[in-house]
Amino acid sequence: AQTVTQSQPEMSVQEAETVTLSCTYDTSENNYYLFWYKQPPSRQMILVIRQEAYKQQNATENRFSVNFQKAAKSFSLKISDSQLGDTAMYFCAFSPTQGGSEKLVFGKGTKLTVNP
Amino acid sequence: DGGITQSPKYLFRKEGQNVTLSCEQNLNHDAMYWYRQDPGQGLRLIYYSQIVNDFQKGDIAEGYSVSREKKESFPLTVTSAQKNPTAFYLCASSLNWANEKLFFGSGTQLSVL
């Protein structure tokens, strides 16, 4: 069974600085997707960024980028120029490409606070 | 605007009572999902539906039931058999079963009186 581990329950960063959230996963699959979801105080889950395992290039979305290390099974999220609106829970998730989205597995989350 | 609507935002259940959480989507998505979120935990899958009139149990289906009579609707009933129902419930949908991009509703917080 696949597992996703987020080792940092809570983190904080000063506004405008950079922060990196860690995620490791365990799988025997070769092809899969990795995701970072954001859950702000409104509690609606929002997809931040998505990485396909067969792509070596790290995904980027504006101020958000990932460091995907397939051999190490590591998938960290870097937030640059942190903003107060980035304050949220961040969940790392894994989904094999075989089968449907019911196989999506979530980590326990990292609570990020951006301080003014 | 297209999206997923969950109602109510807050719901209270008495002992022995069944309650139903509503989830409606106007994205024309085939697949829909129900997740449970407990404090300090990730999301866990309760039930999912790949297509109308079909649904499957997820990892924690005991004490829950669903129906999928219409494409846009996927209500979740929390039955009296669910002994620890207090949690935050999230509904999601995807274009189809094989599509990995999920869209989420804003959730329902269920508490026991």
Side-chain angles (χ1 to χ4, degrees):
Chain A
Q2 288 87 4
T3 59
V4 176
T5 301
Q6 295 179 248
S7 60
Q8 305 149 315
E10 293 192 40
M11 294 189 72
S12 62
V13 64
Q14 292 299 122
E15 196 175 6
E17 293 187 347
T18 295
V19 63
T20 299
L21 281 57
S22 300
C23 173
T24 58
Y25 57 94
D26 187 24
T27 183
S28 59
E29 303 278 346
N30 192 45
N31 294 317
Y32 47 86
Y33 299 103
L34 292 162
F35 308 86
W36 278 99
Y37 280 91
K38 170 185 178 180
Q39 188 178 41
S42 68
R43 306 192 75 177
Q44 184 167 15
M45 297 283 281
I46 303 165
L47 178 63
V48 175
I49 201 164
R50 167 182 169 274
Q51 174 81 40
E52 298 169 59
Y54 67 88
K55 289 186 176 179
Q56 292 188 343
Q57 187 173 5
N58 289 323
T60 62
E61 286 288 341
N62 301 314
R63 297 182 295 107
F64 298 87
S65 61
V66 298
N67 183 5
F68 173 48
Q69 301 289 330
K70 190 173 183 179
K73 296 181 181 176
S74 171
F75 184 61
S76 60
L77 174 70
K78 185 172 83 171
I79 306 174
S80 304
D81 185 26
S82 296
Q83 300 176 0
L84 297 177
D86 295 334
T87 292
M89 284 289 293
Y90 286 83
F91 292 92
C92 180
F94 167 99
S95 177
T97 54
Q98 292 295 323
S101 291
E102 79 281 2
K103 297 187 185 297
L104 189 63
V105 177
F106 288 86
K108 293 186 177 182
T110 295
K111 183 179 180 181
L112 176 66
T113 302
V114 180
N115 298 308
Chain B
D1 288 336
I4 300 177
T5 302
Q6 288 188 242
S7 62
K9 192 172 179 66
Y10 299 96
L11 187 59
F12 298 91
R13 193 192 89 166
K14 296 179 181 178
E15 292 288 338
Q17 186 182 40
N18 292 353
V19 292
T20 297
L21 285 60
S22 171
C23 177
E24 303 277 333
Q25 55 99 357
N26 61 4
L27 299 167
N28 201 32
H29 284 177
D30 281 328
M32 297 186 75
Y33 312 82
W34 273 106
Y35 289 92
R36 171 177 171 143
Q37 185 179 20
D38 294 282
Q41 301 293 322
L43 277 64
R44 292 183 291 168
L45 183 65
I46 305 172
Y47 267 97
Y48 65 99
S49 169
Q50 299 175 14
I51 200 165
V52 65
N53 292 321
D54 179 72
F55 52 83
Q56 306 293 331
K57 292 182 179 180
D59 300 321
I60 55 167
E62 186 174 351
Y64 301 97
S65 66
V66 294
S67 63
R68 185 87 189 276
E69 297 175 1
K70 297 187 296 182
K71 185 176 185 177
E72 59 271 22
S73 179
F74 191 41
L76 173 73
T77 296
V78 183
T79 74
S80 57
Q82 173 50 245
K83 298 306 179 186
N84 184 22
T86 296
F88 187 64
Y89 292 86
L90 280 163
C91 179
S93 71
S94 61
L95 183 62
N96 53 56
W97 171 70
N99 191 286
E100 78 288 353
K101 186 173 182 181
L102 293 185
F103 293 79
F104 284 86
S106 54
T108 294
Q109 175 65 50
L110 175 62
S111 302
V112 177
L113 291 176

